[in-house]
Amino acid sequence: MSHKEKISVVLLGEVASLKKALITFITGKDLSNLHRENHLKKSTIYENDTYQFIYTPDMQKAQDDIQQLFCRTPQPDMCLLVVEEGFSSNDVWRQIEALSRKTGKPTEEIIVVLPSNQTTESYPFRCCTLVQLPTELQNLSDKHQGPNTARSESPRATEGKAAGKHAGPTLNLVLLGMAGTGKSASGNTILRSRHFASRPSSSSVTTECQAQTAEVGGRPVRVIDTPDIFDDDMKTSDRNKHVSKCRQLCGSDPCVYILVLHVSRFTDGERDILKKLERAFGKEVMRRTVLLFTRGNDLEQSQMSFQEFLSECQPDQKKIIEKCSNRCVLFENTNPDSQQVEELMSTVDGIR
Ligand SMILES: Nc1nc2c(ncn2[C@@H]2O[C@H](COP(=O)(O)OP(=O)(O)O)[C@@H](O)[C@H]2O)c(=O)[nH]1
Ligand SMILES: [Mg+2]
C-alpha cells in the first residue's frame, strides 16, 4: 500500500495518554517515552502499513492546527474523539458541535471512542469502544480497497455492494417524523418494495431504526426508517439509543434527513420539531433536511395544488418550510409512482 493510499485517522481529545494508547493499541508503536511537551504544540503523524494516525494537541490550544487538517485534500478518512472515564455526554456533544462548526465535518462523521467498559447504546453521538475500534477501522479499510479485494467483508460493505456497482459513497436518507405521518410507507415508495412495516395504528408500528439499501435513480441509497423519536413521552435514554443506532446505520456515509409530515395534519408536537431534530442530530441538520409531505391525494381531492398548500399553511408550518430553505416534496404512497421519487432525489441533489 503506497503512502497515499493509507487510511488517515485524526485523533482528537483532551487526554494525551488516551490518544497515545490508542495509537499503540492499533499500530503496536510504543509512545510512552515521548515527551509530553512535544504533543502540546502541533499535530504529529504515526503510521503503519495501513493507517496514518494524526495525533492532534489539545483542542483548546491548537484550534487552527486542527482546522487546517480538514482543509487539506483529500480530507482525513476518519475523525476520532477519544474521551476518558467519567465523561459527560453533554460536554462531549458540545465538543462535537464545536468541532463540526470549526472543521465543516458533519457531527455524524465524528466518532467518539469510549472507554472499553462502556456500552455504545445510550449516547446521542456516534461512538464505539476501544475494543470495537479495530472493526470500525477494518470496515473503513474494506471500503477503501474496493470490491475486488480478497479481504473478508463487513456486513456494511456487503450491503453497499448489494446496492449496485457504482463508485462513491452510499447516500443515507434518514426518515424522521411523528408516528403515523407515513415514514415507513415513504421508505417503501423510495425503495420500490414493501420493506418496512406500515399500517394504520394508534401506537407506533416501527419500534426500532432499520436500514435497507437499494439503487435509487442510479445510485446506492440507504433508506433508514425510524420510530417516532419526537414523541414527548419517550424516555431520553430510549431516544438517545435510537439516535445512536441511527448514526451507526449511517456509518461514515453522507446523510440527508427527510422530515415526513402529513398534508392534512399539523400537530402541537410538530410546532417545534426542528428544535427536537437539532437536539438529536446537531445544529447543521436543517441545512440537510428535506420536508416530505404525504397524502398528496388529500390535496387533489380538495383541488388544491402543492404550491397553494405551501403558501396557505399555518404560520408555524411555514417557518419550518422556510428554515429548510423551501425544500419540500409531495408523496402519495398509495400510488408509488417513480416521478415523486425522482423529485425527491433532485431536491436531495440540491443539498449536496
Ligand atoms: N392515503 C395515504 N395513506 C398513507 C400515505 N402514507 C402513509 N399512509 C398510511 O398511513 C398509515 C401510517 O403510515 P406509516 O408509514 O406506518 O407511518 P409511520 O408511523 O410514520 O411509519 C398507514 O396506514 C399508511 O398506509 C399516503 O401518502 N397516502
Ligand atoms: Mg413506521
Side-chain angles (χ1 to χ4, degrees):
M1 191 178 261
S2 77
H3 183 86
K4 257 181 93 182
E5 287 168 331
K6 286 186 185 180
I7 293 168
S8 58
V9 182
V10 175
L11 284 184
L12 302 154
E14 286 163 11
V15 188
S17 58
L18 289 178
K19 289 178 279 188
K20 286 199 272 185
L22 189 152
I23 295 170
T24 302
F25 180 60
I26 304 292
T27 66
K29 284 186 200 297
D30 180 10
L31 313 183
S32 56
N33 290 333
L34 286 176
H35 285 301
R36 210 172 155 262
E37 301 82 66
N38 289 344
H39 285 138
L40 290 176
K41 293 180 197 123
K42 56 181 175 51
S43 304
T44 318
I45 291 176
Y46 300 99
E47 49 194 349
N48 65 6
D49 284 350
T50 316
Y51 302 107
Q52 182 186 67
F53 284 97
I54 307 162
Y55 175 102
T56 67
D58 186 327
M59 281 185 275
Q60 298 304 323
K61 298 184 179 106
Q63 291 202 9
D64 293 343
D65 198 23
I66 290 171
Q67 197 171 13
Q68 269 176 16
L69 284 175
F70 292 88
C71 292
R72 66 182 208 183
T73 312
Q75 285 246 330
D77 297 300
M78 194 185 238
C79 179
L80 300 177
L81 173 61
V82 193
V83 299
E84 66 183 326
E85 194 95 42
F87 66 92
S88 138
S89 186
N90 284 342
D91 285 352
V92 171
W93 182 242
R94 271 194 288 275
Q95 279 184 53
I96 292 173
E97 288 198 315
L99 268 168
S100 173
R101 270 196 305 277
K102 268 257 160 214
T103 63
K105 191 103 182 141
T107 50
E108 64 270 13
E109 291 181 21
I110 299 170
I111 304 174
V112 178
V113 182
L114 303 171
S116 292
N117 57 357
Q118 301 281 322
T119 61
T120 53
E121 295 293 286
S122 50
Y123 298 108
F125 37 75
R126 209 174 144 206
C127 55
C128 68
T129 64
L130 190 59
V131 172
Q132 292 163 341
L133 184 62
T135 312
E136 287 277 340
L137 288 167
Q138 181 65 53
N139 289 348
L140 191 65
S141 167
D142 290 341
K143 254 192 201 168
H144 248 242
Q145 300 217 344
N148 295 327
T149 164
R151 281 174 184 236
S152 65
E153 286 188 281
S154 65
R156 195 185 294 290
T158 317
E159 179 200 30
K161 271 212 276 177
K165 52 200 170 298
H166 299 266
T170 300
L171 170 69
N172 290 304
L173 296 182
V174 184
L175 295 161
L176 296 161
M178 312 282 278
T181 50
K183 296 180 292 300
S184 303
S186 301
N188 293 337
T189 300
I190 297 167
L191 292 165
R192 278 177 286 121
S193 72
R194 249 195 87 77
H195 186 79
F196 303 122
S198 165
R199 59 173 184 273
S201 169
S202 55
S203 60
S204 205
V205 176
T206 309
T207 52
E208 296 294 334
C209 294
Q210 295 172 53
Q212 177 65 14
T213 305
E215 198 173 306
V216 181
R219 79 195 88 174
V221 168
R222 184 182 300 115
V223 178
I224 299 177
D225 190 21
T226 65
D228 176 5
I229 61 159
F230 303 114
D231 180 358
D232 292 326
D233 293 335
M234 182 180 275
K235 281 196 282 178
T236 308
S237 59
D238 286 341
R239 182 175 302 117
N240 289 346
K241 192 187 80 183
H242 291 309
V243 172
S244 172
K245 174 75 191 293
C246 186
R247 286 180 203 286
Q248 272 169 17
L249 291 170
C250 289
S252 52
D253 295 318
C255 291
V256 170
Y257 303 90
I258 311 292
L259 182 56
V260 182
L261 300 160
H262 189 306
V263 286
S264 312
R265 205 180 66 192
F266 184 59
T267 60
D268 279 346
E270 283 169 321
R271 278 178 216 291
D272 59 349
I273 200 155
L274 290 182
K275 280 245 144 45
K276 295 175 186 170
L277 194 61
E278 265 187 7
R279 238 174 272 144
F281 291 96
K283 279 259 182 278
E284 78 281 7
V285 69
M286 261 181 274
R287 287 195 284 115
R288 306 190 63 77
T289 297
V290 173
L291 303 177
L292 187 160
F293 289 87
T294 58
R295 297 182 183 253
N297 277 357
D298 288 9
L299 293 187
E300 208 162 285
Q301 274 161 20
S302 344
Q303 298 185 322
M304 194 183 229
S305 73
F306 189 36
Q307 283 316 316
E308 280 166 341
F309 165 77
L310 294 175
S311 57
E312 288 170 25
C313 64
Q314 292 189 34
D316 284 337
Q317 206 167 16
K318 254 191 196 154
K319 275 189 210 150
I320 296 177
I321 294 169
E322 279 163 19
K323 284 193 172 159
C324 294
S325 306
N326 300 310
R327 283 184 294 269
C328 299
V329 292
L330 184 65
F331 262 41
E332 175 46 64
N333 290 313
T334 58
N335 174 23
D337 72 53
S338 58
Q339 203 189 328
Q340 51 196 354
V341 180
E342 279 164 27
E343 269 168 37
L344 170 69
M345 295 313 286
S346 81
T347 309
V348 165
D349 282 340
I351 296 177
R352 294 193 295 157

